[in-house]
Amino acid sequence: GVLLAQDCFPASSSEALISQALSATRTTRDLSRLRASISVFIGLLRWPGVIRRQAMEVLLQFLGYSFPTVRQATAQALYIRLLEESSDFDLRSSPTHDDADQQHVVPAEQLAEASELVSITPWSTDNEEVLSAALRKMYEAFRIDLPQGGQSMLAPRKTKEATQQPKESEYADLVRENHY
């Protein structure tokens, strides 16, 4: 994170860095690793294109994480980073400037609203309704689709039926059908 903050990291290595950072944080529940990765993802917002979009997606997922300290640290770092932006925030995946891809450019006014939302939301609360509403607004502001899985509180939850083991009668029927 320090090299990124001091602009000492080469842009040519950003893809490798985001790949490593994603693999290091994808399934971990280690708070120190998660908190340390926040500065890396914030630093990766420096480069427009796919890298910036992926970094923003991860940061938004961190805002919806189950650990309040991760949410709070992410919000603080993201707020400071958004204050540095003085114009539109380009989250396009490709460097082309197509009109169809223009929807992924966040106007400066909307960026200011997102920045305000980050600063006024109590990210350390356990009130999921407040957090979910703020998080949905953040995803909407940055024009990023809601997560379909992972650790975010907005990700669809597995129902108890989907996670239950087969019942005894189902197992017995399986054994009987296969003549064991």
Side-chain angles (χ1 to χ4, degrees), residues 97-163:
H97 297 290
D98 298 346
D99 288 340
D101 211 21
Q102 194 67 21
Q103 69 181 3
H104 296 293
V105 176
V106 181
E109 301 83 33
Q110 197 168 1
L111 195 63
E113 291 172 14
S115 180
E116 182 180 346
L117 181 61
V118 166
S119 70
I120 64 171
T121 302
W123 296 104
S124 61
T125 187
D126 289 332
N127 186 340
E128 280 198 37
E129 289 178 26
V130 170
L131 293 172
S132 293
L135 204 48
R136 286 180 197 283
K137 288 180 185 176
M138 290 296 292
Y139 273 94
E140 186 179 307
F142 288 104
R143 301 165 183 185
I144 293 177
D145 295 332
L146 293 174
Q148 298 303 310
Q151 301 290 335
S152 178
M153 67 180 55
L154 294 179
R157 303 283 185 230
K158 293 180 182 175
T159 61
K160 284 193 174 186
E161 276 182 21
T163 58

Side-chain angles (χ1 to χ4, degrees), residues 21-144:
L22 286 171
S23 67
T25 59
R26 184 165 286 127
T27 58
T28 190
R29 295 187 64 81
D30 179 6
L31 284 175
S32 59
R33 179 180 286 192
L34 290 168
R35 290 190 63 177
S37 69
I38 293 169
S39 63
V40 173
F41 290 114
I42 290 290
L44 287 167
L45 291 176
R46 164 175 279 115
W47 295 292
V50 175
I51 301 298
R52 180 180 283 176
R53 187 163 185 81
Q54 286 178 332
M56 183 56 78
E57 288 172 357
V58 171
L59 290 167
L60 290 178
Q61 286 179 8
F62 280 5
L63 283 177
Y65 216 76
S66 58
F67 299 127
T69 56
V70 173
R71 293 193 305 260
Q72 199 166 13
T74 303
Q76 182 179 15
L78 188 57
Y79 176 73
I80 292 168
R81 177 60 178 86
L82 293 178
L83 288 178
E84 296 172 0
E85 290 296 320
S86 58
S87 61
D88 296 348
F89 196 66
D90 189 356
L91 287 173
R92 290 179 287 199
S93 296
S94 63
T96 62
H97 297 290
D98 298 346
D99 288 340
D101 211 21
Q102 194 67 21
Q103 69 181 3
H104 296 293
V105 176
V106 181
E109 301 83 33
Q110 197 168 1
L111 195 63
E113 291 172 14
S115 180
E116 182 180 346
L117 181 61
V118 166
S119 70
I120 64 171
T121 302
W123 296 104
S124 61
T125 187
D126 289 332
N127 186 340
E128 280 198 37
E129 289 178 26
V130 170
L131 293 172
S132 293
L135 204 48
R136 286 180 197 283
K137 288 180 185 176
M138 290 296 292
Y139 273 94
E140 186 179 307
F142 288 104
R143 301 165 183 185
I144 293 177

Side-chain angles (χ1 to χ4, degrees), residues 148-180:
Q148 298 303 310
Q151 301 290 335
S152 178
M153 67 180 55
L154 294 179
R157 303 283 185 230
K158 293 180 182 175
T159 61
K160 284 193 174 186
E161 276 182 21
T163 58
Q164 285 181 342
Q165 297 295 325
K167 296 179 183 172
E168 282 294 319
S169 62
E170 293 173 356
Y171 181 73
D173 291 341
L174 177 68
V175 170
R176 212 173 298 113
E177 288 173 9
N178 290 306
H179 308 288
Y180 289 113

